[in-house]
Every structure is written in structure tokens, then in C-alpha cells.
Amino acid sequence: MTGRPAVRSTPKLSIVMPVYNTPGEWILEAVASVEDARLSWAELILTNDGSSSRSTLEALQQVEARGYEVLHIENSGVSVARNRAIEAARGEYILPLDADDLLGLGFCPVAADVLDMQPDVAVVAGVLESFGARTIRICPDVTVSLAQILLQNTVCATSMFRKAVWMEVGGFDESLRRGHQDAELWIRIAARGGGIVGLPETAVRYRTGHDSMTGDIAESASEAMTDAIINNNEAHYATLLRAALESTDLLRPQAEAAHKMRDLWVRYERLDRLLGTVPGAKRALASLNHSLARWKP
């Protein structure tokens, strides 16, 4: 690791890093990537989520000895680990960074400028670039809609958001332990009118090849996310349903051309079924969606 940059007494940005049995060298590389960004206006808080690996614990001791704050909790999952760090954070803005990834050098200053100058923006996303076993590049749209997130989330977990917004929506859903915690939070923020924008700067270099979810686990995580979307947005069903219908419209030409309408139905069938558990909701929301679609300002 390079020399730790001095941090002003009241940081503008808090970078939060959950750690669970991550190889020690990867933790040190992640911390070094934060130091390389030279963010004198940021703090770094790590949460040890009940790690038992000797390599992990030794790396955390090194990081703590260098003056970084390390919280220690019982193993509770990434959502809890992030939430505990954010609760302790002093920054106005928050940026999650996983302990096996690397922070993009130029993203944070530009993202903070957007949040400073545009009070209607709640989340600023950047480009995700992978390294390791495979190479991918995920670029968010300049303006990210709720429909686009429902269709295909391009807002990576390492996105900058306002701590005040995180508090307003209730933080990361701690019931989600197998994935999709970040996407579910973005949906909750967007459903309440929070703006999400994308930048061309690389926010994170994502390490690939060391973990993967099996099909059963991935399906379970997806179902848990769907349940969370319904449970966490009871007052915003109209907005949610309209966005879901818009997302199918975005995909329909591509799906028809590729003969994948069945896949499209499977993607939204569970959401449709859960909305149907609310008496009269589907008919009322469909009627509202039809009226909104015809309305022109």
C-alpha cells in the first residue's frame, strides 16, 4: 500500500468496504486503490463480517494499524455489513467498494461534483470494468430510469449516493444475503423519485473468476429480490407497475426478433402474481397506467 492520504476532520465522502474471508492480498490491493485515488476529502471504513480466515484477519490488522476504522460484527451478510459502516460514516456521500475490487481513479471527484450541483440526483453510477478470468465492461445510461433497472440493472454496487437518501429509504435490505442488494436499493430509490445518472468514468474494476452462484442459488436470490421489491414499495405500486410495463415495451422488439417472449414472461410472471395478491390492485394499477400513458403535459 502507498502512503495514506490525510483526511480532513469532516469528510465529504465515506467509502465503505465489507469484508468476509477475502484473501488478505486482495484487501490490501483494494485499500491501495483507494489511497491511489488521493481523496483527501474521503474516509474509508471497513466492516469485518465475522471472518475466520487467517489471511483476512492479518490484513485487517495491518489496515487497522494504519489508522483506518475497522468495525467487527458477527457474520450477518453484506447488507448488514454495509449498513453498519454507513451508520458510522461521517460523509455526506457514500460509496460501497467490495474488498476484492479496485476503485476507479477518476470517478469519485466527478461523481461528487454531480451530487453537489444537482440536488435532484440521488445516485451517480460509473462504468464497471472487469479483470481476471473474463473481461466485461458495463456502462450505465446518462439517465437511468426505474424501467431500465427492472429490465437490466447497469448501476453497479460501487455507485455514489447520498447518505440522507439511504436513511430515507431504510438502507440496504438486510434480508437479502445471496445477491441483488444494490439493485433492490436502486429500485427503492428510483420508485420514490430519486434521480440516477451515469458517468463515462470507470467507478470500479471488478475481479472475476473466484466466485459464482449456482443456478439454484441465483434463482433463490432473484426470488428474494422480487419479494423485497413488493414488500418494500407498498406505497409505490403504481410507479412500480408502470415501470414494469415500460420495461417490457423496451424489450419487446428485441424479444420478438429473437423469439424470447417466453423468457420475458418468466422474468415478470412472479412480479405479476405477487401484485395480484393485493385485492383489486392489478386492475386499478393497469387503469392508472393506461390513463398516464394517454396524458400529455
Side-chain angles (χ1 to χ4, degrees):
M1 291 188 291
T2 60
R4 179 187 176 190
V7 177
R8 68 185 189 184
S9 57
T10 305
K12 176 183 286 289
L13 171 66
S14 297
I15 300 172
V16 298
M17 184 182 298
V19 179
Y20 177 67
N21 288 339
T22 309
E25 63 269 26
W26 292 357
I27 297 172
L28 299 180
E29 288 174 6
V31 172
S33 74
V34 174
E35 293 176 342
D36 289 344
R38 310 297 298 176
L39 303 173
S40 62
W41 44 279
E43 66 177 353
L44 173 63
I45 303 175
L46 299 88
T47 304
N48 173 24
D49 187 24
S51 299
S52 58
S53 165
R54 179 177 178 179
S55 171
T56 301
L57 296 175
E58 287 179 350
L60 289 173
Q61 287 178 349
Q62 291 183 46
V63 171
E64 199 165 17
R66 291 171 57 81
Y68 291 106
E69 183 173 6
V70 179
L71 308 177
H72 298 274
I73 65 173
E74 295 182 359
N75 180 247
S76 305
V78 65
S79 291
V80 173
R82 286 176 179 165
N83 282 342
R84 297 297 88 79
I86 296 171
E87 289 168 0
R90 296 176 295 157
E92 179 183 0
Y93 306 146
I94 304 295
L95 182 81
L97 177 66
D98 288 345
D100 52 357
D101 294 336
L102 306 176
L103 181 65
L105 289 180
F107 172 74
C108 289
V110 182
D113 283 346
V114 172
L115 293 175
D116 284 345
M117 295 184 293
Q118 301 184 43
D120 58 324
V121 173
V123 182
V124 181
V127 176
L128 179 150
E129 293 183 352
S130 72
F131 68 100
R134 61 187 185 277
T135 302
I136 57 175
R137 181 179 171 87
I138 300 176
C139 304
D141 290 331
V142 175
T143 301
V144 182
S145 69
L146 177 57
Q148 290 169 324
I149 300 174
L150 289 172
L151 178 61
Q152 183 178 20
N153 178 40
T154 59
V155 180
C156 66
T158 304
S159 295
M160 192 178 297
F161 55 89
R162 301 181 189 276
K163 182 174 179 178
V165 171
W166 170 87
M167 295 175 63
E168 289 170 6
V169 303
F172 287 97
D173 188 322
E174 297 183 359
S175 71
L176 297 176
R177 298 195 58 165
R178 292 189 167 183
H180 306 307
Q181 299 91 348
D182 50 313
E184 191 280 326
L185 180 63
W186 311 147
I187 289 170
R188 216 174 331 135
I189 290 173
R192 288 156 177 75
I196 302 178
V197 301
L199 298 176
E201 283 77 16
T202 297
V204 63
R205 295 186 63 223
Y206 175 79
R207 192 185 302 267
T208 61
H210 60 285
D211 64 347
S212 62
M213 287 194 295
T214 65
D216 289 343
I217 293 176
E219 182 178 355
S220 174
S222 180
E223 291 182 357
M225 177 185 175
T226 303
D227 290 340
I229 292 172
I230 300 302
N231 295 335
N232 295 338
N233 294 282
E234 184 175 354
H236 302 275
Y237 281 160
T239 301
L240 188 65
L241 182 60
R242 175 168 172 78
L245 295 174
E246 287 177 354
S247 67
T248 61
D249 288 340
L250 290 173
L251 187 58
R252 184 171 291 114
Q254 174 185 343
E256 289 176 342
H259 303 289
K260 293 183 178 178
M261 286 303 292
R262 180 181 179 278
D263 294 337
L264 179 64
W265 169 250
V266 170
R267 184 178 180 88
Y268 292 102
E269 183 271 339
R270 181 170 174 81
L271 174 61
D272 181 72
R273 186 170 68 251
L274 288 170
L275 284 174
T277 63
V278 182
K282 288 175 63 176
R283 183 172 60 182
L285 295 178
S287 175
L288 176 59
N289 181 74
H290 179 71
S291 300
L292 290 173
R294 297 179 59 186
W295 178 79
K296 295 181 179 179

